[in-house]
Amino acid sequence: MLSLQSDSGRSSSLAYSQDERLTRQNIEDLGRIIASEARGSNETAQLMVGWTVINRMKRRHLRSVSVVWQHNNYAHNHPATTISRRIAESLLSGQARDISQGATLFYSPLSMPKEGDTNLHGFDIGSGLESVDGVRDRSGKPIRNYVPGWAQDGRRVRVFNVPEKEFKFYRE
């Protein structure tokens, strides 16, 4: 059995799967990615972010979540929460149904640089600008955001209940 510590300090048990990805460290690391990338988003968005990690792990035959974040620029600067750990556990154990249609990439229009921004260093803005409902400047006026270059080729995965302004998901 794998024992997990919740934020409240209570332990929960999880039968250790034959799948070598289901480790305490992977649950914690995936929980950190979910908490960092999708904090404040609904559970569907959090699941989708988690599925991009799982799908990359499967595609590259990896067993460690930390290897995925090291090579794919996932944020992991926030601690895992009880909810993000639960989601991570369900994904890594195979209990969660894959609603991602194989998604391996995503970006958030809200967090991408906006039209008129001058510091674009470090951002992939290769697909130019887009208008997304709900992306606004500080005064509430609609504003266009930049789109990563890899997002131009039409492999978009549309997900019910994830606002487009928060996340757009893609397959490689």
Side-chain angles (χ1 to χ4, degrees):
M1 296 290 254
L2 176 65
S3 178
L4 299 175
Q5 198 79 22
S6 72
D7 289 347
S8 65
R10 294 187 305 248
S11 291
S12 65
S13 293
L14 169 71
Y16 191 80
S17 165
Q18 295 296 340
D19 186 343
E20 295 177 50
R21 291 181 297 222
L22 185 58
T23 67
R24 171 182 247 161
Q25 189 62 54
N26 275 348
I27 291 168
E28 191 65 24
D29 290 346
L30 184 55
R32 284 179 63 191
I33 291 172
I34 293 166
S36 299
E37 292 282 4
R39 67 187 170 280
S41 296
N42 66 37
E43 191 167 334
T44 303
Q46 292 179 57
L47 276 166
M48 286 294 296
V49 166
W51 272 115
T52 66
V53 176
I54 298 300
N55 289 336
R56 287 182 189 191
M57 288 176 72
K58 287 179 179 177
R59 185 176 187 153
R60 296 180 177 102
H61 308 288
L62 300 173
R63 292 186 177 116
S64 173
V65 171
S66 65
V67 171
V68 176
W69 89 33
Q70 291 168 2
H71 296 286
N72 294 286
N73 300 320
Y74 281 105
H76 55 278
N77 52 329
H78 289 280
T81 64
T82 301
I83 292 171
S84 70
R85 276 190 204 99
R86 179 181 52 76
I87 292 169
E89 184 179 317
S90 71
L91 293 170
L92 288 161
S93 69
Q95 293 174 350
R97 182 175 60 87
D98 185 356
I99 61 170
S100 75
Q101 303 169 44
T104 52
L105 301 163
F106 70 90
Y107 75 95
S108 170
L110 286 173
S111 64
M112 290 297 290
K114 309 300 182 270
E115 184 174 30
D117 286 354
T118 55
N119 184 6
L120 303 176
H121 178 72
F123 287 95
D124 173 359
I125 58 170
S127 287
L129 292 162
E130 70 178 349
S131 295
V132 176
D133 190 31
V135 177
R136 302 180 177 281
D137 67 13
R138 290 187 178 120
S139 70
K141 178 183 169 194
I143 189 167
R144 297 187 313 163
N145 62 275
Y146 284 96
V147 179
W150 52 259
Q152 67 187 359
D153 64 5
R155 294 173 297 191
R156 174 109 185 266
V157 174
R158 299 197 185 269
V159 183
F160 176 73
N161 202 24
V162 176
E164 194 173 64
K165 69 180 181 180
E166 287 185 23
F167 294 103
K168 290 186 174 186
F169 295 93
Y170 294 80
R171 286 185 294 271
E172 286 181 289

